Amino acid sequence: MKEDLTVFNKLVDQLLKAEKEDPVAPYIEADKLFETLDLNLEEEPMSEEAFGESLRQLVLNTPRTATKMFFNQLFGGRQPKAVLGDLLAVMLNNSMYTYKVAGPQVGVEKAILNQICDMIGYGRKGDGTFAPGGSMSNLMAMLMARDARGEKIRKKGINESMTMYTSKISHYSIPKNAAFIGIGRDQVRYIETDDQGVMLPEALENQIRKDIDDGFVPFMVNATAGTTVLGSFDPIEQLSVVCKKYDIWLHVDGAYCGAVIFSDKYKHLVKGLEKSDSFSVNAHKMLGTPLSCSIIVTRHRQALYDSFSNDASYLYQTDGDDFNLGKISLQCGRRNDALKFWTLWKSEGTIGLRRMVDQEFHLADVAREYVRSHPDYTLYSFDDSISVCFNYKDLPPKELCTMLYENSEIMVGFGSFRGQEFVRLVTINAGNKKEDVINFFKAIESFVEVEIE
Ligand SMILES: *Cc1c(COP(=O)(O)O)cnc(C)c1O
């Protein structure tokens, strides 16, 4: 093991150096991948030297997501304390299903979940778990919402046409999960938003009324806290009134920006969250832990047991249900995703997490200010969002983003809203500073000047 850790340290040194010198890795065309790198598996073992070289090539040619030129997805940067926690999780290799096998790691997970339940007002009636990503957190919420309609569903399956509601610009995991949970993709109703991407409560209520009249059974509303493209927030408080009136489960998908709960300045964006039935947040997005670290909590602790517990005498042999986390999780064997978040939170304090969230909003303000004050740019997104959508000199965003990628300049993606395409800059890396955001724009400008004009 020790020798391999030495190899690891050496590779990390080389990677960190490469990230500094070239923040974007060399571009390899997808159909030339297998001729460019030594990836094929052989019958014979390799010499340590040749193996080390293959590994080095692989590491140095992999897209660099921790650098100051990575803005492509809703994660980025590297929080060293969180990386430390994740490396330890790999070394310890516990499985989170029982206290017998995970021991104090159960407490690590519970400490995070209890704290979050308290912070958002669910209190001790709430509980939660870690799911393999935000899509799966949404799946767990949808399963709990479905099962909350009655015991029959879990045992006999669905025999009604159950409908759910989400905004037109919500995450694609919702229709996917609708098929998984057996209600069918056609039973998802896409509710209109206003011109800033915020779900309209009146449109929601009208659709619910219509569905009830038509014999459907509305069971769930999904509100998004940080829509994937615009970073807009649905009005939880108002949606909760509608949900209460029709006895519908309200889930808040905070995968992208649910971490605003840590900020005194921005938690107003999820006002009314305590009235929701479930809430999910990805620590691997705004809080910068390694992938993946997704938390789902519910105000109804029993709902987790109702939907996810099953007896298994070969597994649950000691300790009570409260400590055997497999009773409330989607998986059986489950990796320890809590430790990396715990090491970050423990070392930086809640204040540290608050600073990260506030810094990301600050960087977005810097970016919007830049776009607004430079006439070659057009802004397509709104305040109180860490997605800054824009176009430069009316260049088609898809072509621009692809050229920046293929020339190893910047990793950034594009999106669209109401038929308008644009570049989407996400200020999700709290390690960035004001000048890093300015540099992003300067890099685009000089690239366009040299390569396009
Ligand atoms: C990213 C995202 C998800 C999915 O999270 P994964 O961890 O990638 O599965 C779900 N909902 C929203 C709003 C997101 O932005």
Side-chain angles (χ1 to χ4, degrees):
M1 188 73 239
K2 282 231 167 112
E3 286 95 84
D4 287 303
L5 286 179
T6 310
V7 173
F8 176 81
N9 272 322
K10 218 170 122 189
L11 283 170
V12 168
D13 278 343
Q14 290 171 340
L15 176 63
L16 293 176
K17 192 159 164 270
E19 285 177 351
K20 267 218 168 109
E21 286 166 5
D22 299 302
V24 182
Y27 166 64
I28 302 175
E29 275 176 63
D31 50 14
K32 301 230 170 79
L33 179 59
F34 283 90
E35 35 189 284
T36 313
L37 294 178
D38 171 29
L39 298 174
N40 291 319
L41 300 165
E42 318 283 347
E43 186 72 15
E44 295 294 321
M46 278 176 111
S47 74
E48 281 295 317
E49 207 188 332
F51 171 65
E53 182 52 23
S54 287
L55 216 46
R56 196 178 74 86
Q57 288 298 337
L58 178 61
V59 167
L60 295 182
N61 283 287
T62 295
R64 296 175 187 160
T65 65
T67 70
K68 296 183 179 307
M69 282 297 168
F70 184 82
F71 301 98
N72 207 73
Q73 242 71 43
L74 305 181
F75 68 93
R78 187 182 284 124
Q79 291 294 329
K81 288 291 191 292
V83 171
L84 174 63
D86 212 13
L87 292 173
L88 288 171
V90 171
M91 283 302 289
L92 293 166
N93 200 34
N94 302 102
S95 178
M96 298 303 283
Y97 41 35
T98 61
Y99 184 76
K100 189 176 180 187
V101 172
Q105 301 298 328
V106 168
V108 162
E109 181 161 315
K110 281 289 170 202
I112 294 170
L113 294 167
N114 289 341
Q115 188 86 13
I116 288 182
C117 282
D118 283 349
M119 283 174 65
I120 67 174
Y122 284 177
R124 283 302 132 90
K125 288 195 183 131
D127 200 359
T129 184
F130 283 66
S135 302
M136 292 296 107
S137 284
N138 286 343
L139 174 64
M140 293 187 79
M142 289 166 73
L143 287 167
M144 287 189 284
R146 183 198 68 181
D147 294 349
R149 294 315 294 190
E151 184 131 346
K152 267 218 217 69
I153 292 172
R154 271 181 296 141
K155 295 193 175 144
K156 309 278 184 205
I158 294 177
N159 60 6
E160 297 170 306
S161 281
M162 300 176 75
T163 48
M164 67 166 296
Y165 304 80
T166 193
S167 96
K168 282 195 165 158
I169 57 170
S170 60
H171 193 257
Y172 76 91
S173 56
I174 302 296
K176 240 171 95 169
N177 291 335
F180 297 169
I181 71 169
I183 64 163
R185 290 180 188 231
D186 287 354
Q187 316 291 45
V188 180
R189 305 286 187 256
Y190 297 97
I191 306 302
E192 196 55 70
T193 68
D194 67 13
D195 54 13
Q196 301 201 354
V198 178
M199 199 203 295
L200 292 167
E202 310 80 58
L204 170 68
E205 183 162 5
N206 290 342
Q207 183 65 49
I208 290 172
R209 279 227 189 92
K210 181 173 183 303
D211 283 330
I212 292 173
D213 286 347
D214 292 346
F216 292 102
V217 179
F219 75 104
M220 175 172 178
V221 169
N222 174 65
T224 311
T227 54
T228 308
V229 172
L230 288 180
S232 50
F233 290 79
D234 288 334
I236 299 170
E237 186 96 54
Q238 288 164 273
L239 298 178
S240 76
V241 174
V242 179
C243 287
K244 189 148 189 237
K245 187 162 162 191
Y246 297 93
D247 190 22
I248 294 173
W249 185 287
L250 176 60
H251 173 62
V252 177
D253 174 5
Y256 181 14
C257 297
V260 293
I261 59 170
F262 289 98
S263 164
D264 294 334
K265 202 167 162 196
Y266 293 100
K267 69 179 171 207
H268 70 89
L269 296 170
V270 290
K271 191 160 177 288
L273 186 54
E274 71 284 356
K275 297 186 182 125
S276 65
D277 297 288
S278 56
F279 166 65
S280 53
V281 53
N282 279 357
H284 70 251
K285 287 186 172 171
M286 286 190 85
L287 299 175
T289 72
L291 287 157
S292 60
C293 189
S294 185
I295 291 159
I296 166 85
V297 287
T298 169
R299 190 153 57 89
H300 319 281
R301 132 192 313 265
Q302 187 59 36
L304 282 163
Y305 288 94
D306 289 347
S307 290
F308 301 107
S309 72
N310 208 80
D311 280 334
S313 55
Y314 47 81
L315 182 61
Y316 304 112
Q317 299 179 338
T318 64
D319 312 293
D321 278 359
D322 281 351
F323 291 87
N324 288 329
L325 302 181
K327 290 265 167 129
I328 52 170
S329 64
L330 196 58
Q331 308 108 289
C332 175
R334 183 163 62 94
R335 131 180 248 291
N336 181 357
D337 284 333
L339 185 57
K340 56 195 161 197
F341 187 23
W342 185 87
T343 49
L344 179 68
W345 196 343
K346 184 88 176 152
S347 63
E348 306 277 334
T350 310
I351 289 176
L353 304 184
R354 179 178 313 147
R355 278 202 194 114
M356 290 172 69
V357 172
D358 289 350
Q359 174 68 2
E360 288 162 28
F361 278 95
H362 167 66
L363 293 175
D365 287 340
V366 168
R368 269 187 299 270
E369 175 57 27
Y370 189 95
V371 168
R372 283 194 179 114
S373 57
H374 288 71
D376 286 335
Y377 290 86
T378 318
L379 183 66
Y380 296 99
S381 56
F382 310 97
D383 288 350
D384 282 342
S385 159
I386 62 165
S387 294
V388 181
C389 304
F390 67 88
N391 279 326
Y392 178 58
K393 293 192 168 173
D394 292 328
L395 293 165
K398 181 176 177 185
E399 280 78 6
L400 178 61
C401 292
T402 306
M403 281 184 83
L404 288 164
Y405 160 56
E406 291 180 356
N407 286 277
S408 297
E409 293 285 339
I410 305 175
M411 297 282 280
V412 64
F414 52 93
S416 69
F417 178 57
R418 296 194 167 169
Q420 177 67 53
E421 275 210 342
F422 38 66
V423 180
R424 181 195 60 171
L425 164 68
V426 281
T427 55
I428 192 101
N429 179 355
N432 276 342
K433 305 221 159 39
K434 183 177 175 179
E435 53 268 29
D436 299 315
V437 170
I438 307 289
N439 277 340
F440 163 82
F441 291 112
K442 297 284 179 215
I444 290 182
E445 289 160 22
S446 54
F447 177 78
V448 168
E449 194 180 329
V450 173
E451 297 290 329
I452 299 181
E453 287 177 343

